Amino acid sequence: MASSSSIFHAAGAVLVALLCLFWATSVSASESRAQWIPDGDTIHMEDGRRVRLLGIDAPELGRDGGPDQYYARESRDYLRRLIDGRPVRLETDSQGPDRYGRILAYVFLPDGRMANEVLVEEGLAFFYPHSHQDREFQRRMLEAQKRAIMARKGFWPRILSLPQPPAGWVGNRRSKRFHHPESHYAARISPQNRVALSSLEQAFLEGYAPARTSSPWPDAD
């Protein structure tokens, strides 16, 4: 008959194996090089994958003859210099691709820094929270954003000086999005989730991101 000690060690080994299996199915990592970087939060890899940097949003480049958003080219060019043909490590979770077929990933540079965090810390992208994101990742990204705002890096000086609605902005505590007070979506926020935000600076410092329908982002000059 097996001793209690050997049974304990066997059970421990099984538990470790199960934990490793869980991690492998929830997070996967791979290494590749960028082939093309179309904007500040998207990378097309040499292996054919299209990657969306998880948890951030960068200003949009104009499409179909439309204007670029403010700081869109600066954001894209910085990401190009940051990667510069070097191999990067992609870590993905179990979310699957977004609606454009891009995989959502943490992008790690050869020196160990996370490109997602670097772009936010330099004021070239803002933190875009979702409820499924890892809490430690959210904490890091919000701290990086606060440092960029306090130092007035990148696009923040102009963004934070934009005209404000007289009544301020309306935040949704559940979605972590903020809306123009006259937006149809703002009117639909339940009282328990409704948050008054007096300024863009308060909204971004508290980890709210602009709703697509109420984005205050200006066009490039």
Side-chain angles (χ1 to χ4, degrees), residues 84-99:
D84 193 26
R86 295 175 292 175
V88 294
R89 189 176 85 256
L90 307 177
E91 290 191 5
T92 62
D93 57 23
S94 58
Q95 294 178 59
D98 68 7
R99 59 179 175 168

Side-chain angles (χ1 to χ4, degrees), residues 10-208:
V14 170
L15 178 59
V16 170
L18 288 174
L19 289 173
C20 290
L21 178 61
F22 171 79
W23 177 257
T25 56
S26 60
V27 177
S28 61
S30 61
E31 192 171 277
S32 185
R33 294 177 185 269
Q35 182 180 54
W36 181 48
I37 298 175
D39 57 41
D41 53 34
T42 308
I43 307 173
H44 292 193
M45 312 305 296
E46 288 182 343
D47 58 16
R49 290 178 296 174
R50 292 182 298 152
V51 175
R52 176 68 157 78
L53 276 71
L54 190 152
I56 72 170
D57 201 8
E60 301 287 342
L61 287 159
R63 295 190 178 93
D64 301 322
D68 297 341
Q69 287 189 328
Y70 176 64
Y71 239 72
R73 292 184 182 273
E74 290 87 342
S75 177
R76 179 202 61 190
D77 293 347
Y78 186 90
L79 182 57
R80 287 178 174 177
R81 293 193 300 271
L82 195 62
I83 295 177
D84 193 26
R86 295 175 292 175
V88 294
R89 189 176 85 256
L90 307 177
E91 290 191 5
T92 62
D93 57 23
S94 58
Q95 294 178 59
D98 68 7
R99 59 179 175 168
Y100 301 108
R102 301 173 298 185
I103 65 171
L104 303 173
Y106 310 101
V107 179
F108 289 92
L109 305 169
D111 61 11
R113 292 180 298 161
M114 186 197 303
N116 317 49
E117 185 176 16
V118 172
L119 287 163
V120 170
E121 191 160 28
E122 294 300 322
L124 294 151
F126 58 84
F127 173 40
Y128 202 74
H130 279 286
S131 59
H132 53 68
Q133 292 167 354
D134 177 79
R135 296 303 181 192
E136 174 60 18
F137 170 75
Q138 290 189 329
R139 185 196 66 77
R140 285 179 56 178
M141 297 299 282
L142 183 54
E143 288 302 312
Q145 181 157 287
K146 288 178 179 179
R147 290 193 295 271
I149 289 173
M150 292 295 103
R152 293 300 195 262
K153 287 187 174 182
F155 50 56
W156 287 117
R158 181 178 177 189
I159 296 304
L160 298 180
S161 67
L162 293 172
Q164 309 286 324
W169 302 87
V170 179
N172 187 322
R173 184 178 285 107
R174 183 175 181 181
S175 68
K176 299 300 288 187
R177 300 289 175 265
F178 67 83
H179 305 258
H180 193 281
E182 297 177 4
S183 163
H184 168 69
Y185 295 98
R188 295 172 60 185
I189 300 173
S190 64
Q192 62 266 30
N193 289 324
R194 191 178 186 89
V195 179
L197 300 166
S198 62
S199 67
L200 287 175
E201 183 162 359
Q202 181 189 0
F204 284 110
L205 284 174
E206 293 188 12
Y208 289 84

